[in-house]
Amino acid sequence: MEKLIDLAADLIVKSKYCIAFTGAGISTESGIPDFRGPSGIWKRVDPKIATYSFFINNPGEFWKFHLSFIEIKRAEPNKAHFSLAELEKMGVLKCVITQNVDGLHQKAGSRYVIELHGNLDHVVCLSCGKHFKINDVIAGLDENKLPPKCPECGGLLKPDVILFEEPLKRDVLTLAFKEAYKSDLVLVLGTSLVVYPAAYIPDIVKSQGGKVIIVNLESTEKDFLGDVVIHGKLGEILPKIVDKVRENLRSIS
Ligand code: NAD
């Protein structure tokens, strides 16, 4: 393990444009369950509940599930989120591309974060297109009267996150892919790498001769892409990598 941490730190220090690509696994140590990990949500809930068609046909039931998910707005960043913010401050990490909708990277201090799948903070009206803050919508919400309706036009409100079957926002995806094309090293952290198009990010970096570091509890669909693959908890491994990067930077300055 120590050797892999040294190797990862060495690649980070030598890189010219290192980016991070994160998934739900980086937030499990903040108490937010992932989808497909050992205690993932899909172990107890049918994944179809997160599809656009389920939302449209059963908005009340969808919102009931969603309100339990919104609890995650109370979560705090963990050591893994803080480690990425620290790497950005050191100048060695240029950007975080996340599949997460919990906002914990920003809460930990990361400044350049691309949220591929949106953020739980907002909802959008499917009739008039207006956006509202989730806190304003759920304040005083009667759980027996779901789904919540648009305060302006009475239309159906949808969380402004990407559901299964929905396309990603083009400008956001383009920006993320641009960052991947610029990158010569990607840290792939806490993702099973099965959700597309997000999961193309490491392929893009690799296809241009860049390097890939994967840190995940279990093996992923794409461990074969990894120049360094570490299986373990991000909250334990990332702080060790950061310490090593700091040490290496000191020794070359
Ligand atoms: P996933 O559930 O498919 O995979 C998560 C991976 O993280 C698993 O392979 C698991 O082994 C690993 N993992 C869990 N805890 C870990 C830890 N402490 N350290 C290291 N690895 C750990 O999640 P995904 O690949 O991100 O894709 C699923 C979708 O889930 C994303 O689109 C995302 O929008 C959504 N999601 C987001 C949140 C969130 O915002 N926190 C939570 C659940 C799901």
Side-chain angles (χ1 to χ4, degrees):
M1 176 73 85
E2 293 311 311
K3 209 170 157 213
L4 291 174
I5 285 168
D6 288 354
L7 258 168
D10 192 46
L11 286 178
I12 292 171
V13 171
K14 286 183 179 148
S15 69
K16 292 196 168 57
Y17 202 88
C18 173
I19 62 171
F21 174 53
T22 68
I26 199 164
S27 296
T28 55
E29 289 167 76
S30 293
I32 305 172
D34 60 11
F35 278 166
R36 300 176 188 80
S39 315
I41 295 173
W42 298 158
K43 296 263 188 312
R44 54 192 159 83
V45 180
D46 186 340
K48 79 165 191 253
I49 201 161
T51 59
Y52 186 76
S53 47
F54 184 88
F55 167 73
I56 290 295
N57 294 320
N58 313 274
E61 207 180 320
F62 173 93
W63 265 98
K64 209 169 156 199
F65 165 72
H66 190 65
L67 287 179
S68 66
F69 206 61
I70 282 170
E71 283 294 308
I72 75 177
K73 289 312 297 171
R74 281 186 256 278
E76 291 298 327
N78 64 56
K79 285 179 184 169
H81 299 102
F82 287 118
S83 296
L84 292 187
E86 186 65 23
L87 288 176
E88 187 184 4
K89 266 190 221 124
M90 288 176 181
V92 290
L93 181 69
K94 307 300 182 197
C95 162
V96 176
I97 302 169
T98 189
Q99 299 168 88
N100 294 347
V101 293
D102 56 30
L104 291 185
H105 286 301
Q106 295 91 325
K107 225 171 170 179
S110 285
R111 279 166 300 179
Y112 185 18
V113 181
I114 300 173
E115 294 176 309
L116 282 175
H117 296 157
N119 190 299
L120 286 176
D121 276 341
H122 295 97
V123 299
V124 59
C125 172
L126 294 189
S127 299
C128 68
K130 286 211 173 98
H131 285 77
F132 302 92
K133 288 211 162 122
I134 184 73
N135 286 341
D136 295 341
V137 170
I138 59 177
L141 185 70
D142 181 349
E143 290 200 19
N144 297 314
K145 285 193 187 150
L146 294 174
K149 293 287 169 59
C150 174
E152 302 274 328
C153 75
L156 179 59
L157 289 177
K158 178 188 156 296
D160 198 16
V161 296
I162 305 291
L163 301 178
F164 293 132
E165 304 170 346
E166 277 193 296
L168 271 66
K169 291 188 177 158
R170 194 167 69 172
D171 53 341
V172 178
L173 184 62
T174 305
L175 183 61
F177 279 7
K178 266 191 188 157
E179 289 300 327
Y181 277 112
K182 269 198 256 174
S183 165
D184 61 348
L185 175 64
V186 59
L187 315 179
V188 180
L189 310 171
T191 168
S192 57
L193 291 170
V194 298
V195 177
Y196 285 86
Y200 284 126
I201 303 265
D203 301 73
I204 293 173
V205 176
K206 195 76 182 186
S207 71
Q208 309 202 102
K211 305 264 191 225
V212 175
I213 296 173
I214 296 177
V215 186
N216 205 64
L217 208 54
E218 310 158 291
S219 47
T220 75
E221 289 289 300
K222 297 195 179 177
D223 279 6
F224 64 91
L225 285 179
D227 296 278
V228 178
V229 178
I230 306 178
H231 291 148
K233 282 190 168 182
L234 281 159
E236 291 166 10
I237 291 160
L238 281 189
K240 288 185 186 164
I241 293 179
V242 173
D243 285 347
K244 206 72 205 174
V245 167
R246 194 179 292 110
E247 213 177 279
N248 289 4
L249 286 175
R250 267 198 213 115
S251 69
I252 54 176
S253 66

